[in-house]
Amino acid sequence: MEAVRIVQGRVVPLERNDVDTDQIIPSDWLKQVERTGFEKGLFSEWRDDPDFVMNKEEHAGAKILLAGPNFGTGSSREHAVWAIMQYGFEAVISPRFGPIFANNSTKNGLVCVQVDQELGDQLMAAVQADPQLEFVVDVEKLRLEVPALAVDVAFAMDAQVQHRFLEGLDDIGLTMQQGDDISAFEATRPGYMPASN
Amino acid sequence: MTQQPRTLSQKVWDNHVVPTSNESASSNDAADNGAALLYIDLHLVHEVTSPQAFEGLRISGRTVRRPDLTVATEDHNVPTENQHLPIPDEIGRKQVDTLRANTKEFGITNYPMGHESQGIVHVIGPELGLTLPGMTVVCGDSHTSTHGAFGAIAFGIGTSEVEHVLATQTLPQLAQETMAITINGELPEGSTAKDVVLAVLARTGTSGGIGAIAEYRGSVIENLSMEGRMTVCNMSIEWGAKAGLIAPDEITFDYLKGRPHAPQGEAWDEAVTAWRELKTDEGVIFDREIIMDGSECVPHITWGTNPGQVAPIDSTIPYPADYDDTGEADACSRALEYMDLTPGMAMRDINIDTVFIGSCTNSRIEDLRAAAAVAKGHKVKDGIRTLVVPGSGMVQKQAIAEGLDKIFIEAGFDWREPGCSMCLAMNPDKLAPGERSASTSNRNFEGRQGRGGRTHLVSPQVAAATAILGHVATPEDLS
């Protein structure tokens, strides 16, 4: 994955709770065997509505998606993360994330910024009032800053995930360096464990 | 020094942490920040979330570390009619063909369409005896939590993690909180395992389990069959838990004994001895606990667009004003608009077009027996479309041997071939815009069963009764 240090830009305010991964990328799109081309599927059922927030001209080119709580609940489809990133978003802000979605984000360099509900509501109202508002997500300092609102808050990220984000590392290579440890563990597995073949 | 009492999930977790030697620790700081490298005992693979993972292996020149701990099947895309013919949908066919090519290239067993052992990945793992107590099980599918019914830590992963497991048979994982869902007492007459987990969802909403591995315990859980326990664990992810599991007991061992991949002879005895240790120690204090009584687990139905929007069938559609939280009130309004429902109306007054009996939640033989028992001697109401989709080739064969297929067909149900089917509508089994289903599956999200479709999640018994009356009903309503 590519390194990500700072995400700075305008924000799409998606004022909905419980945005599940079936909404983010409907199952018709999961038939692809490639890893690209999912941007067209992002929120595809909602985007047919010309009034849908992402269709508004003032939000074109936004880099950050701001949503209500429970964003990314549901299916394990990593296609949801791919669709969001391929559309052009680099960070998502929500009071609460679906756990598999949040985990998948860490494998692709999509920054999930969890904020408390009160701040989430404040940010939502502010972006709706001023679509030109710029947010800064700083992965190095782990801070969300909105200078125009005098908002400057910390957000949480696992230290190794942060390290991989800053360096642009994929973790398979890191784990493979522990090949001997894994072999040693395998030698201790009980003999009754089944094989699939 | 005596060891601290541990929960079942902590024991299984601890048994799978790969110790890190000093040399490699310096190059991988996972051990420094709470992430453990977990060994994975069983990796289940299907056609939808694996192609990009295999492609990643090829690009990096990597191999599959343990093809013998990996098993694949074709389930999400497969049609439920004419499985002896090629898949008509070209894109779906290509995805299935890609799985066949990938499993062949990397030496992984694949159960293709038409094979007796083919089926929904979470149905075949247990029935083949591949899922055993105390294991770690992963799959690129959120309903992997199903396998927790055996006392395994089982969770869904994304495609990047699928690639990680293929390459290393391990996953770095952050520690989770411990959680207990304790359900005491007895189930009410006419209630099922599906109602147990829907009642849990009524308590927790979709996020109550985030950050935790949950153990279901108490007399209601202990009295469930293995298949019922799978139904409960299956929907753990719907309330946000990383995984859900149940301590193995005699019911578990009886289910497993003699299954194709379960240990035999002396190995079986050794395994059972080890499995009997897999329970939460006395004196453990869980990080979180929810205590419920069986009497809460009356038949339930979802009315909204997430599984936490659920209520007893004997109740009425809620009002947005019932919610204190404005976000939840707004979500209720949006759901009622999408579902075309009016606050205050009785659940039983909801008319249904389509009934789907199937999915990794409710497509096992006991589910089909229960639905057939309700259907027997009745007729599906005119104009109602039905699909009864067994979870696997083995379930299909068993159902036919018991004559369940004939009962369904005589009652006017459409008896199909195995697969995921209308649970997520990746195959031709879809709702049309505006159509409304009673479905034994696990998700009622907008468009989940077809664009514009409306889904009500229910038990197999309620689904069967609803097909006969054409509106939401329980079996008692038939007499």
Side-chain angles (χ1 to χ4, degrees):
Chain A
M1 73 187 203
E2 286 180 29
V4 49
R5 209 159 269 272
I6 287 186
V7 179
Q8 179 166 4
R10 284 178 293 108
V11 180
V12 172
L14 181 61
E15 193 181 13
R16 297 187 193 205
N17 290 16
D18 309 309
V19 176
D20 59 72
T21 53
D22 276 81
Q23 307 321 314
I24 298 171
I25 184 98
S27 64
D28 279 350
W29 289 86
L30 307 191
K31 295 184 183 186
Q32 307 296 329
V33 296
E34 299 82 17
R35 206 171 177 130
T36 53
F38 294 103
E39 65 277 7
K40 290 194 211 81
L42 179 64
F43 299 121
S44 60
E45 300 202 0
W46 291 345
R47 269 160 76 189
D48 283 354
D49 173 2
D51 290 333
F52 180 59
V53 64
M54 261 172 51
N55 291 331
K56 299 202 170 153
E57 208 171 304
E58 63 264 32
H59 296 306
K63 285 188 183 170
I64 298 169
L65 182 62
L66 173 65
N70 300 330
F71 185 87
T73 50
S75 139
S76 67
R77 58 188 73 169
E78 197 161 315
H79 313 64
V81 175
W82 300 335
I84 288 170
M85 295 188 79
Q86 288 163 14
Y87 182 84
F89 291 114
E90 297 171 25
V92 184
I93 303 172
S94 164
R96 201 159 48 232
F97 289 94
I100 306 180
F101 175 87
N103 199 36
N104 286 339
S105 295
T106 70
K107 310 296 178 184
N108 292 275
L110 178 66
V111 188
C112 287
V113 179
Q114 187 167 332
V115 294
D116 67 40
Q117 179 78 53
E118 202 179 331
L119 178 60
D121 292 343
Q122 183 200 342
L123 296 175
M124 189 69 72
V127 176
Q128 285 169 337
D130 178 9
Q132 298 308 312
L133 209 54
E134 288 226 341
F135 286 26
V136 181
V137 175
D138 188 325
V139 178
E140 196 162 24
K141 292 193 239 158
L142 295 181
R143 305 219 41 112
L144 168 65
E145 297 161 23
V146 189
L149 303 176
V151 167
D152 182 359
V153 294
F155 66 92
M157 183 181 273
D158 172 66
Q160 193 189 358
V161 171
Q162 182 191 24
H163 174 67
R164 290 197 297 100
F165 272 49
L166 294 173
E167 301 297 324
L169 299 173
D170 97 67
D171 59 359
I172 296 178
L174 293 175
T175 300
M176 290 194 81
Q177 293 170 4
Q178 283 186 262
D180 290 345
D181 294 337
I182 297 170
S183 297
F185 180 88
E186 279 175 329
T188 67
R189 297 177 74 236
Y192 57 76
M193 294 299 252
S196 60
N197 50 8
Chain B
M1 198 179 89
T2 52
Q3 197 174 21
Q4 286 279 334
R6 292 181 298 166
T7 67
L8 165 62
S9 67
Q10 287 170 325
K11 290 180 184 180
V12 178
W13 182 282
D14 292 347
N15 285 344
H16 289 85
V17 174
V18 175
T20 303
S21 60
N22 289 335
E23 195 185 338
S24 55
S26 61
S27 58
N28 183 353
D29 57 355
D32 298 341
N33 54 50
L37 189 64
L38 281 194
Y39 196 82
I40 303 302
D41 291 317
L42 177 64
H43 185 192
L44 302 159
V45 173
H46 62 84
E47 75 274 18
V48 176
T49 55
S50 67
Q52 297 88 352
F54 284 112
E55 185 63 15
L57 290 183
R58 269 190 293 270
I59 289 168
S60 312
R62 291 171 175 149
T63 57
V64 175
R65 183 179 177 96
R66 294 297 299 265
D68 61 322
L69 303 184
T70 312
V71 68
T73 193
E74 303 160 3
D75 57 3
H76 283 62
N77 273 289
V78 301
T80 53
E81 294 177 299
N82 298 318
Q83 287 190 354
H84 58 289
L85 299 175
I87 297 176
D89 170 32
E90 196 180 323
I91 309 172
R93 186 169 70 238
K94 183 177 172 196
Q95 198 167 55
V96 168
D97 287 345
T98 301
L99 179 70
R100 291 178 185 180
N102 283 330
T103 50
K104 192 172 174 201
E105 178 182 344
F106 290 98
I108 295 166
T109 300
N110 177 43
Y111 294 113
M113 266 196 318
H115 190 288
E116 183 183 291
S117 297
Q118 177 267 346
I120 305 174
V121 68
H122 309 309
V123 175
I124 70 163
E127 78 186 2
L128 289 169
L130 285 167
T131 304
L132 298 177
M135 287 176 101
T136 47
V137 181
V138 297
C139 175
D141 188 284
S142 56
H143 294 111
T144 308
S145 55
T146 310
H147 307 264
F150 293 82
I153 290 181
F155 53 93
I157 58 178
T159 297
S160 293
E161 289 184 313
V162 170
E163 185 179 340
H164 196 121
V165 177
L166 289 171
T168 70
Q169 203 58 33
T170 63
L171 270 183
Q173 288 291 307
L174 290 171
Q176 302 286 310
E177 291 191 358
T178 60
M179 183 167 184
I181 300 282
T182 305
I183 311 177
N184 300 312
E186 286 181 30
L187 269 191
E189 185 78 19
S191 283
T192 69
K194 184 64 163 285
D195 301 306
V196 171
V197 71
L198 290 178
V200 170
L201 271 151
R203 278 280 199 110
T204 61
T206 55
S207 60
I210 289 180
I213 297 180
E215 179 180 344
Y216 299 96
R217 48 208 319 248
S219 52
V220 164
I221 300 298
E222 289 161 16
N223 290 330
L224 290 175
S225 70
M226 266 334 288
E227 297 196 356
R229 294 177 188 185
M230 284 189 251
T231 298
V232 171
C233 288
N234 173 273
M235 291 186 72
S236 302
I237 186 63
E238 306 310 335
W239 57 277
K242 171 85 175 179
L245 78 177
I246 296 171
D249 59 11
E250 297 307 318
I251 291 173
T252 320
F253 309 146
D254 287 348
Y255 175 95
L256 287 171
K257 192 161 192 184
R259 296 214 170 246
H261 291 270
Q264 317 283 336
E266 280 179 31
W268 170 261
D269 296 336
E270 186 197 339
V272 171
T273 303
W275 295 341
R276 287 191 201 284
E277 302 300 316
L278 294 173
K279 54 187 177 210
T280 293
D281 292 329
E282 294 288 333
V284 159
I285 297 169
F286 287 88
D287 296 323
R288 307 180 212 169
E289 180 161 22
I290 292 177
I291 298 174
M292 296 172 56
D293 190 81
S295 59
E296 290 177 51
C297 306
V298 294
H300 273 64
I301 182 168
T302 62
W303 50 266
T305 53
N306 73 58
Q309 291 176 324
V310 63
I313 287 184
D314 287 334
S315 70
T316 54
I317 303 290
Y319 289 81
D322 295 346
Y323 294 90
D324 297 332
D325 178 90
T326 53
E328 282 185 49
D330 179 52
C332 174
S333 297
R334 282 185 46 82
L336 294 181
E337 187 186 341
Y338 181 86
M339 295 296 289
D340 192 25
L341 293 171
T342 312
M345 78 184 277
M347 299 292 178
R348 281 185 169 77
D349 290 341
I350 300 171
N351 291 319
I352 297 287
D353 319 292
T354 299
V355 168
F356 171 57
I357 298 175
S359 87
C360 57
T361 315
N362 280 127
S363 65
R364 297 178 182 82
I365 192 67
E366 290 176 13
D367 298 316
L368 300 188
R369 283 178 192 146
V374 174
K376 192 168 186 174
H378 295 280
K379 287 282 181 200
V380 170
K381 189 179 164 79
D382 279 350
I384 306 286
R385 174 170 62 145
T386 58
L387 294 98
V388 182
V389 183
S392 70
M394 294 216 268
V395 172
Q396 178 187 32
K397 189 177 164 190
Q398 178 69 25
I400 290 170
E402 295 180 19
L404 303 183
D405 59 328
K406 289 202 176 61
I407 294 174
F408 283 119
I409 291 164
E410 277 167 23
F413 286 83
D414 197 351
W415 172 252
R416 295 294 187 93
E417 295 173 294
C420 297
S421 181
M422 197 184 270
C423 175
L424 83 169
M426 280 191 74
N427 77 344
D429 307 334
K430 293 179 197 298
L431 292 180
E435 280 187 336
R436 185 185 298 279
S437 77
S439 175
T440 67
S441 54
N442 40 53
R443 290 198 171 124
N444 51 339
F445 297 149
E446 288 183 26
R448 170 78 178 183
Q449 295 189 295
R451 189 175 181 139
R454 299 171 176 136
T455 301
H456 297 277
L457 303 177
V458 294
S459 71
Q461 289 88 327
V462 167
T466 298
I468 290 154
L469 291 176
H471 62 80
V472 171
T474 61
E476 292 69 47
D477 299 333
L478 296 176
S479 52

